[in-house]
Structures are given as C-alpha cells and as structure tokens.
Amino acid sequence: MSPETAKSQETKAKLLEGALRTLTEQGIAKTSARTVAAAAGVNQALVFYHFGSVDELLVAACHYGAERAVAPYRERFAEVTSLSELLTVGRQIHEEERAGGHVALLGQLLAGAQTHDTLGPATAAGLELWISEIEKVLTRVLADTPFGEFTDPAGLARAVAASFVGIELYEGVDAAGATAALDALEQLGALVAALEDLGPVAQRAVRHHLRRTGRR
C-alpha cells in the first residue's frame, strides 16, 4: 500500500468516526460537513473529496458502524444454545450498546431516515447484520424443539430485532417500562425453555396440537 493510499484510508476512517460521533453527540440536525470535519480533525473539503456528499458519508458511516458493532458479538451468538439464552444475551448486548452510545446513534439514524432518503436503506442494511446473526441462532436452537417446523426463523429474527429496537427507543422516555418489557421477554424465553425440557411424549403432544391448530 502506497503512502498516499494509506493516508487516504486513514482520512476516510477519521471521517467515518467523526460522522458517527457527531450523530451521537449532536444529532442528525446538526450533522454537516463542517461539524463532521471538526470532529474528525480534518478539512471539510475532504468530506466531498472522499464521499461526494454528506449523505453518502452518512451511508458509509452507517455500514461502518454497524459492522463494527456486530463483529464483537458473533462469537457470543455462535455459543447460544436456547431461545432463553438468546434473550439473555440480547439483554446484555442492549446494556453494552447503550453504555457505548450506540442506542443514541440508532435513534438519530432512524430520525434521519425520515428526511434523508439514503439513510433508510443504509440503516436497514445495518440492522440486517444483527438480524442475520439472530436468524442463525433461531434456526439452530429451534430445530430440535416442537416449534421447529412451525416457526419462520427469518420472520421471527426480525420480530426479535424490532422488539429490541423499540425497547431501546422507548427507554429514553420510560426506563422502568423498558426494563419491564425486557423482563417480560426473558419470562417468555423461560416458558419456551420449559417446553423444550418436556419429555418425548409431551413434545409429540405439543407438535400434534400445533399441527391441528395450524390446519384451522
């Protein structure tokens, strides 16, 4: 890699980090070439040189931030063995992401998607990284349970992700309510775990009931 290319990559990384920091600390309304460049410690002309526009920089920053956020948790997701454990891990991730300012960032991206056409697809693509990991876990842990043949892991993964996104945003106005919602999800996971622990005869009865219900 030539010195010029290395410097270019370094500048782009600074701008991506600066964009994420500006969104988190100042909000979408105050995110501009000037504020991002100031946060990055570079000339604002470099925003347009490297990304063409502020919107394109925000799109790139969204992808960059999402991949950086998901990557550390992939190994943890791979170790999950039950739905209740997935919900517990989800709660741990929620706490870590909130402490790192990522919940505030997500809120700004969702707000920005209402006025910046390119941010909607970019934010959805970022969320898809989380959804993909959740779907892998659900496919694996539900396969040998009575629910395996009656659930859609892809749809359920989106429902789980949407629940956590909603709780993260709701927490800003009702922290106690958000905690109660997380508690309720964990209770639901415990109920599913209890069904998973049923013996073969009871599990066959559950499958039979679900098949009969599904035919109605």
Side-chain angles (χ1 to χ4, degrees):
M1 182 178 292
S2 68
E4 291 79 15
T5 302
K7 184 172 179 58
S8 175
Q9 292 295 321
E10 180 184 0
T11 300
K12 289 175 72 173
K14 286 181 179 178
L15 286 167
L16 292 169
E17 295 281 356
L20 293 173
R21 189 159 60 252
T22 303
L23 281 168
T24 302
E25 296 175 359
Q26 300 188 46
I28 187 69
K30 294 184 179 180
T31 298
S32 65
R34 182 183 61 79
T35 56
V36 169
V42 302
N43 189 295
Q44 73 179 67
L46 292 172
V47 170
F48 305 99
Y49 177 79
H50 287 290
F51 295 98
S53 69
V54 174
D55 276 6
E56 288 304 314
L57 168 58
L58 293 180
V59 168
C62 186
H63 288 286
Y64 172 82
E67 177 56 37
R68 190 180 60 177
V70 174
Y73 299 116
R74 287 198 170 102
E75 185 174 344
R76 197 183 305 184
F77 278 125
E79 295 171 349
V80 171
T81 59
S82 68
L83 182 59
S84 57
E85 187 179 345
L86 172 62
L87 293 172
T88 299
V89 169
R91 187 164 194 165
Q92 293 169 351
I93 291 173
H94 166 75
E95 295 297 332
E96 292 167 10
E97 290 293 287
R98 181 181 60 178
H102 299 142
V103 172
L105 173 60
L106 177 60
Q108 290 302 320
L109 289 171
L110 290 172
Q114 306 303 312
T115 54
H116 297 66
D117 291 341
T118 55
L119 270 189
T123 303
L127 290 172
E128 188 67 29
L129 294 178
W130 290 105
I131 291 168
S132 176
E133 295 302 318
I134 296 169
E135 182 178 345
K136 290 175 188 175
V137 175
L138 291 172
T139 300
R140 184 175 69 250
V141 303
L142 294 177
D144 296 325
T145 73
F147 311 105
E149 64 183 279
F150 305 101
T151 55
D152 170 25
L156 188 55
R158 281 161 176 76
V160 171
S163 296
F164 274 90
V165 168
I167 289 170
E168 287 172 354
L169 298 177
Y170 181 57
E171 189 172 38
V173 296
D174 183 1
T179 298
L182 288 168
D183 289 342
L185 284 175
E186 287 192 0
Q187 291 166 2
L188 178 60
L191 290 174
V192 173
L195 289 173
E196 291 173 353
D197 290 337
L198 294 174
V201 174
Q203 289 204 11
R204 281 199 297 272
V206 172
R207 286 191 176 93
H208 175 72
H209 175 75
L210 289 173
R211 290 190 186 107
R212 185 177 59 188
T213 302
R215 287 195 294 268
R216 292 177 182 172

